[in-house]
Amino acid sequence: MRWDAQALMPTPAETDAAGARPALLPLAGLVRSVTTPEFAGITFHEVTSKSVLNKVQAGSRMPFEWTINPYRGCSHACVYCFARKTHTYLDFDAGLDFDSQVVVKVNAAEVLRKELAKPSWMRQQVALGTNTDPYQRAEGRYRLMPGIITALADSGTPLSILTKGTLLARDIPLLKSAATQVPVGLGISLAMTDEALSEAVEPGTPGPRARLKLVSRLREAGLPCGVMAMPILPWLSDSDEALDSLFASLAAAGATGVTAGALYLKPGTREWFMQWIAANHPGLAGRYRRLYGTGSYASKEYRTWLAAKVRYFKARHGFSHSSGFSHRDVDDPRGEEAQYPAGSIPAVAGAGTAHSPASASGPEGQATLF
C-alpha cells in the first residue's frame, strides 16, 4: 500500500500560541493524524501507548484473561459491530466515526515485549480481535501483528486471533512457527455466503469467498480454524437456503468448528443498525423493532427457532461432534451463541505448561489444538 500521498493533521505541539490549527482530538499519546487516498474518508490517528495488555474483567467467564487491541475503530464498517460503543470512550461517535476514525497503537509490539518480560507475567492466554479487527486493511501498512505474534510466542504466551481480514494469510508462516512454541487458536468471522448482502452490511470487509479461501489456507497449513458464524440476520440470512449454503461451505473449507448465533444489538450498535435497516430494508424496520423490543437480544422464541435450525444444519454438514468453549452456563438461554468454536481457542493445560504439537481434526471431530 502506498502511504506517500498522505496528509498530516497537526498535533498539539504544532499549534500556535493563539490555538490555530488545533489537533482533531486530544487523544492520549497522539503522534500524528494521517489521511491518504488509499483510504478515502478515513483518518488514522497514530498514538504511542504505555500499555497494550488489557485485563479481562473478573467474572466475565471468557476463556482468556487478557486481550490486545492494536487498533481502535475499524474500517471494515460492519453495520452490526458490537464494539461500536467503545469508540465513544475516545470522544468519537459510535456510528460513522467508528468506521472512519481509526486509532493505531504504533508502538504496540515494543510495549508488549516489555510487559511480557516482567517477572509478574504468568503467560496466560492473550486474545486478539475481541474488540476491533487486528487485520483490517491498514495492517498492511502498519504491520503491527508480526511483532505482536512474535513477542507472545517468544515469551511462551498462548494466543488466539479472531478476524475477518484475509491479510492474516500474510502471517501464516509466522503463525506456523508460533504454534511450535505455544498453543495457538485461530478464528474467522463469517456468517453468510451471499456476496451482495456481505457488501451491504460489512462493506470494508473481504467477501465470503475470500474468507472461505482463508479458512482453507489455514487448514492446509496445519493450523486450526474455528468459524464464528455471527451474526445471523433475521429475514436476511436465516433462511434454510442461506444456512445450508453457509455450513456446507464451511465444511468444504475444513473449518475445525463453527458457532452460529443471532444478531446482537447492544446500545451504540442498535441505533446505527436500526438506521441502516430503515434506509435499506424499510419493510423490515418494524419487524426488527418488535423482535428486539427494548433489549439487545432477539426474542426468546426467535432464538429458540434459530438454534434448532443451526443444530440441524451443523449435523447435516458434519459439525455436530465438534465442540468449543462456552462462557455461559449450560442452561443459559444464549446457548449456541455463547460458544467459542473448536479451533478458535488454544488448548492450554495451564499457565506456563509445556505443550506438544498435535494435529487439528476436521469438522467431523473435535479439534485437538497444537
Side-chain angles (χ1 to χ4, degrees), residues 308-363:
K309 295 184 73 170
V310 167
R311 285 194 298 270
Y312 171 78
F313 287 110
K314 284 180 70 171
R316 181 173 183 174
H317 295 291
F319 289 107
S320 58
H321 299 296
S322 64
S323 61
F325 183 96
S326 176
H327 62 88
R328 300 287 176 179
D329 293 329
V330 174
D331 60 352
D332 188 281
R334 286 184 62 188
E336 170 83 9
E337 304 163 44
Q339 298 286 330
Y340 281 81
S344 64
I345 298 296
V348 184
T353 301
H355 86 108
S356 301
S359 63
S361 72

Side-chain angles (χ1 to χ4, degrees), residues 41 56 60 69 107 113 119 199 224-225 343-344:
V56 175
S60 72
N69 294 296
N107 64 337
R113 281 195 174 275
E199 174 65 23
C225 184
S344 64

